[in-house]
Amino acid sequence: MHMGYIESMFEVLVFVYENYWRGDACPDPQQLERKLSAHGFPPEEIHQALAWLDGLSIAAQFTRESADAAAAPLAQSAQSLRVYSVTEQDHLGAECLGFISFLESAGVLPAPMREIVLDRAMAATGNPVSLDELKIIVLMVYWSFGEQPDALVLDELCDNAQERLPH
């Protein structure tokens, strides 16, 4: 049951992503709750997703305000290294941490967005978070900034590795 619950929360997030192309196009939480309920999502999963989206909104707003204030002490230099806590390592697992590293090295996940991805991944239940769930989280972080990843990144985020055929 626990795994089904988290999958359903992510199903709600995917629905929101697909129906509201940008975070600022999303209706207020009460109206969104009504729409999700009308679409047939269970109340428990709607509340979990809305709480998760609220945390995303707060993190994105804080990041925008920090950038606007030119918070130089918070900026990360190209030589800096993100060290993951044991809790983060356990909750995210090697596959998810490797994917985050891949996105960073490809230059498509800047440090402030990475930290929001990590924050929202840590807020998700599931131990460890699956790669498919992490990909949804990354998409939702882009969404919260009103950005769409470039085509190659979008393809990677929407790719299901289990459907790949070996060559």
Side-chain angles (χ1 to χ4, degrees):
M1 177 180 164
H2 201 58
M3 192 60 188
Y5 177 75
I6 189 67
E7 286 175 0
S8 294
M9 183 197 84
F10 281 99
E11 288 172 13
V12 173
L13 295 177
V14 168
F15 178 85
V16 170
Y17 180 84
E18 290 176 345
N19 287 278
Y20 305 101
W21 287 100
R22 295 168 46 108
D24 57 7
C26 193
D28 67 70
Q30 290 174 328
Q31 186 179 3
L32 180 59
E33 182 177 3
R34 285 193 300 274
K35 287 180 184 261
L36 292 170
S37 183
H39 189 72
F41 290 107
E44 198 174 305
E45 291 143 10
I46 292 170
H47 291 292
Q48 176 82 12
L50 290 176
W52 191 93
L53 285 168
D54 186 51
L56 176 61
S57 175
I58 291 166
Q61 182 64 33
F62 176 78
T63 299
R64 279 192 284 275
E65 289 171 2
S66 296
D68 292 345
L74 297 177
Q76 180 174 337
S77 76
Q79 295 81 26
S80 64
L81 173 69
R82 173 60 157 89
V83 177
Y84 297 97
S85 72
V86 172
T87 304
E88 289 171 330
Q89 291 175 37
D90 289 346
H91 191 68
L92 296 170
E95 190 176 29
C96 287
L97 291 175
F99 188 72
I100 290 170
S101 178
F102 161 74
L103 294 176
E104 283 185 287
S105 65
V108 297
L109 189 65
M113 287 178 80
R114 177 202 61 218
E115 291 306 309
I116 295 174
V117 167
L118 291 170
D119 174 72
R120 296 292 76 213
M122 294 302 291
T125 56
N127 215 11
V129 170
S130 76
L131 183 57
D132 287 340
E133 292 166 345
L134 180 73
K135 288 178 178 183
I136 294 168
I137 291 169
V138 172
L139 280 173
M140 293 306 293
V141 170
Y142 272 101
W143 174 85
S144 72
F145 282 91
E147 297 178 18
Q148 182 161 337
D150 68 41
L152 291 175
V153 174
L154 193 58
D155 187 51
E156 187 64 37
L157 290 172
C158 295
D159 180 46
N160 184 344
Q162 293 172 336
E163 292 177 2
R164 289 185 194 153
L165 295 174
H167 296 282

